[in-house]
Amino acid sequence: MTILAIESSCDETAAAVVKNGVVLSNIVSSQTEHSAFGGVIPEIASRAHLRMISTVVDQALSKSQCTLTDIDAIAVTTSPGLAGALLVGANFAKGLAMRLQIPLVPINHIEGHLYSGFLVSEQIEFPFVSLVVSGGHTSLFYVTSFHEYSILGSTRDDAAGEAFDKTSKMLGLGYPGGPIMDKLAKDGHPDRFIFPRGMMQKDSLQFSYSGLKTAVRVFLQNNYPEGNFHDNIHNICASVQEAIVEPLVKKSFNAVKRMKVNTLVVAGGVSANSRLRSELLRFAQKKSVKLYIPDIQYCIDNAAMIGFLAEKKIIEQKTPDHYMSYNITVNSSALRSPKK
Ligand code: KG4
Ligand code: ZN
């Protein structure tokens, strides 16, 4: 089966061709228009998707050496995300599926991330714990099959990526903040400054990052009222990064222990963070837990994960009733209720 997948939920316009579980092409166009604003501007995102979507789909088809006649179904992200951004991808996919008279499969973006580990290893065994950590989401899941999972914990406020992006903006470093701070932190000491870690009660699998943002603002006001913190930028970045990473690592392994599994799968843009990766690896080795983190191209927002999951859903006949009616809609809300 050959699936053309489209993803446009936030600020990446992406298309991929997935055939029998193998990724033939994975094209991602990241919008740079938002960097001047320190965050994603929804209106700008929708317009940029509209400009790029046909080019990105053409590139995905040509890289996969497929034509539209080879495509058996179209998969598209329909939730969660920015409504206007989702609508661009959903309408493009709908128009194409109607023209080709092939099935249209709506996919939840977070579910896409949840199973993206399978793009690098088919050896992953259910059940497992998954940490999905991005600019919009920070959640732990207990995953029992391709269509069954439950949420163990989520952020109460900001997502981990948002914490990177907002502190980066405060430090005048630019957007997206995660990769910039990751790089600067490499020459700093993670324990030079102590910033608060949210929700660290022993049995809590919830996250909280809004206190960190405030703590960094107060720290800068008290210690550098003139704004001359640049000599210490490496230590500040390393210390802020540590306050973001430590709860992610500790809670992930607490969840693994609580659910009595021995596999942890990590996904989402923040899983590109080098400190997060090395700490997860260190803990995994210490606790003999199997750790799967997809390649960076599958960690960030991408359409390969959408196509892969759509194929699984078609095979397991878990596609919605309106599969061939093209009657899809988009839903911007953050997380759907967990499935039983
Ligand atoms: O999954 P993603 O591409 O988009 C969504 O938010 O869904 O994740 C983007 C987020 C941004 O907040 C960005 O700052 C963060 O991932 N990020 C990183 C790194 N690379 C991207 N955060 C920390 N370290 C990185 N190396
Ligand atoms: Zn994402």
Side-chain angles (χ1 to χ4, degrees):
M1 186 184 309
T2 307
I3 312 265
L4 170 65
I6 292 172
E7 151 68 43
S8 68
S9 63
C10 191
D11 58 345
E12 263 89 27
T13 316
V17 176
V18 180
K19 184 175 183 176
N20 301 331
V22 177
V23 181
L24 299 186
S25 63
N26 185 38
I27 307 293
V28 179
S29 166
S30 296
Q31 302 174 357
T32 51
E33 290 87 336
H34 309 285
S35 53
F37 304 97
V40 179
I41 308 295
E43 175 79 17
I44 293 177
S46 311
R47 289 169 189 271
H49 284 306
L50 201 53
R51 262 197 312 277
M52 285 309 294
I53 193 146
S54 51
T55 309
V56 167
V57 168
D58 279 350
Q59 286 174 353
L61 284 167
S62 104
K63 180 123 193 266
S64 70
Q65 299 193 319
C66 289
T67 63
L68 282 175
T69 50
D70 299 318
I71 303 298
D72 299 306
I74 296 184
V76 65
T77 305
T78 50
S79 67
L82 303 169
L86 287 165
L87 280 168
V88 175
N91 277 323
F92 191 94
K94 182 173 170 174
L96 209 50
M98 285 178 84
R99 190 191 122 198
L100 298 169
Q101 282 297 295
I102 56 175
L104 177 62
V105 188
I107 295 289
N108 178 287
H109 177 85
I110 302 303
E111 289 184 19
H113 277 307
L114 212 48
Y115 299 104
S116 60
F118 288 91
L119 292 169
V120 288
S121 174
E122 285 176 15
Q123 313 300 319
I124 301 174
E125 282 172 17
F126 295 108
F128 59 80
V129 163
S130 181
L131 170 71
V132 177
V133 62
S134 70
H137 309 282
T138 301
S139 300
L140 280 163
F141 296 87
Y142 175 59
V143 188
T144 47
S145 74
F146 279 112
H147 47 90
E148 277 180 332
Y149 60 86
S150 56
I151 302 176
L152 300 172
S154 278
T155 182
R156 294 284 181 86
D157 37 60
D158 293 349
E162 202 177 348
F164 274 113
D165 295 338
K166 287 181 174 169
T167 43
S168 170
K169 190 175 179 185
M170 252 181 251
L171 294 164
L173 297 174
Y175 175 86
I180 304 169
M181 292 182 73
D182 186 358
K183 203 165 162 209
L184 289 168
K186 285 194 168 69
D187 296 319
H189 295 285
D191 48 4
R192 174 66 184 81
F193 305 110
I194 302 301
F195 293 110
R197 278 80 163 139
M199 305 294 296
M200 288 309 272
Q201 304 88 318
K202 206 166 178 293
D203 56 350
S204 172
L205 296 178
Q206 311 295 323
F207 298 89
S208 171
Y209 286 109
S210 63
L212 172 63
K213 200 173 54 192
T214 313
V216 173
R217 178 171 294 121
V218 171
F219 166 84
L220 293 176
Q221 280 164 359
N222 290 347
N223 293 284
Y224 305 98
E226 311 294 327
N228 53 340
F229 53 78
H230 296 282
D231 289 349
N232 241 330
I233 194 72
H234 298 282
N235 287 329
I236 296 172
C237 286
S239 304
V240 170
Q241 176 174 267
E242 199 64 7
I244 297 173
V245 165
E246 194 185 304
L248 296 173
V249 175
K250 288 203 168 144
K251 286 166 190 281
S252 296
F253 285 94
N254 285 347
V256 164
K257 190 172 170 200
R258 186 185 298 179
M259 303 317 292
K260 299 187 175 60
V261 296
N262 77 336
T263 303
L264 174 65
V265 183
V266 186
V270 178
S271 54
N273 184 266
S274 54
R275 179 71 176 169
L276 177 62
R277 283 181 173 242
S278 64
E279 283 296 280
L280 286 169
L281 195 61
R282 189 167 70 83
F283 269 66
Q285 281 165 350
K286 198 163 109 190
K287 295 177 185 290
S288 299
V289 168
K290 287 184 198 157
L291 174 69
Y292 296 92
I293 313 179
D295 300 346
I296 308 275
Q297 60 165 331
Y298 301 136
C299 281
I300 60 165
D301 286 353
N302 68 89
M305 64 182 190
I306 304 301
F308 175 84
L309 184 58
E311 197 177 359
K312 286 284 173 212
K313 283 185 187 279
I314 294 171
I315 292 166
E316 297 193 4
Q317 299 188 334
K318 295 287 177 191
T319 47
D321 297 342
H322 52 259
Y323 185 52
M324 274 300 273
S325 77
Y326 307 121
N327 187 19
I328 60 166
T329 184
V330 301
N331 181 356
S332 57
S333 64
L335 276 174
R336 278 195 328 199
S337 314
K339 292 177 181 173
K340 289 270 169 345

